[in-house]
Amino acid sequence: MNGKKAVIHFKPLDFLILLIIVFFAVFSFLKTSEKDADKILVTANGDKYIFPINKNSTYEVQGKLGITKIEVKDNQVRIIDSPCPNKTCIAMGYARVIICLPNDVMIQKISSGKKIQEELDGIAK
């Protein structure tokens, strides 16, 4: 190469296409916002549990290493106790998705309209 940098020239139609893509990305994100979530799907050690998100409560699920305690409060969810060694899942605080890899626990906020998939998408080894 002779040291020249390639210059990309945008045409007005390029900006319009980019604007449309950004609009649809933002719209789809807002459409699936946390306001739509009305339950919690907990997958623990291969078992699936569903809990209401509008009821303040504490739940316990059995993971690979032991019991994980989940708190639901004011339409939010978090892990308050876990037997995992590094406690990263507890440090996440309130979140839409919480994963504790060592204890094999995953928590997701979902809406009633979402179908719970029972099949595997793929297998990782």
Side-chain angles (χ1 to χ4, degrees):
M1 296 234 152
N2 56 8
K4 292 184 181 180
K5 294 183 180 180
V7 178
I8 300 173
H9 296 284
F10 285 104
K11 297 177 184 171
L13 188 58
D14 295 336
F15 284 113
L16 179 63
I17 291 171
L18 182 63
L19 184 65
I20 290 170
I21 291 171
V22 169
F23 171 77
F24 280 111
V26 170
F27 177 75
S28 66
F29 177 76
L30 293 176
K31 184 179 176 188
T32 60
S33 70
E34 290 191 34
K35 293 178 183 177
D36 294 339
D38 59 352
K39 12 181 197 182
I40 300 163
L41 171 63
V42 180
T43 307
N45 209 17
D47 297 324
K48 295 183 187 221
Y49 308 91
I50 295 182
F51 303 114
I53 197 166
N54 57 359
K55 179 183 173 189
N56 292 348
S57 189
T58 304
Y59 303 100
E60 295 182 353
V61 294
Q62 179 68 43
K64 282 184 180 178
L65 302 176
I67 301 288
T68 295
K69 293 182 184 176
I70 302 164
E71 178 187 53
V72 177
K73 184 175 182 182
D74 300 328
N75 292 335
Q76 299 288 326
V77 62
R78 68 178 177 163
I79 293 177
I80 56 174
D81 190 33
S82 178
C84 61
N86 56 8
K87 311 291 186 201
T88 305
C89 55
I90 297 171
M92 290 178 68
Y94 293 107
R96 184 172 180 85
V97 176
I98 305 170
I99 300 173
C100 181
L101 287 177
N103 202 26
D104 193 23
V105 174
M106 182 173 74
I107 303 168
Q108 295 173 281
K109 293 169 77 173
I110 61 171
S111 64
S112 292
K114 183 174 180 177
K115 181 181 176 185
I116 300 170
Q117 187 174 357
E118 298 294 334
E119 301 174 3
L120 291 175
D121 287 337
I123 298 174
K125 292 186 179 183

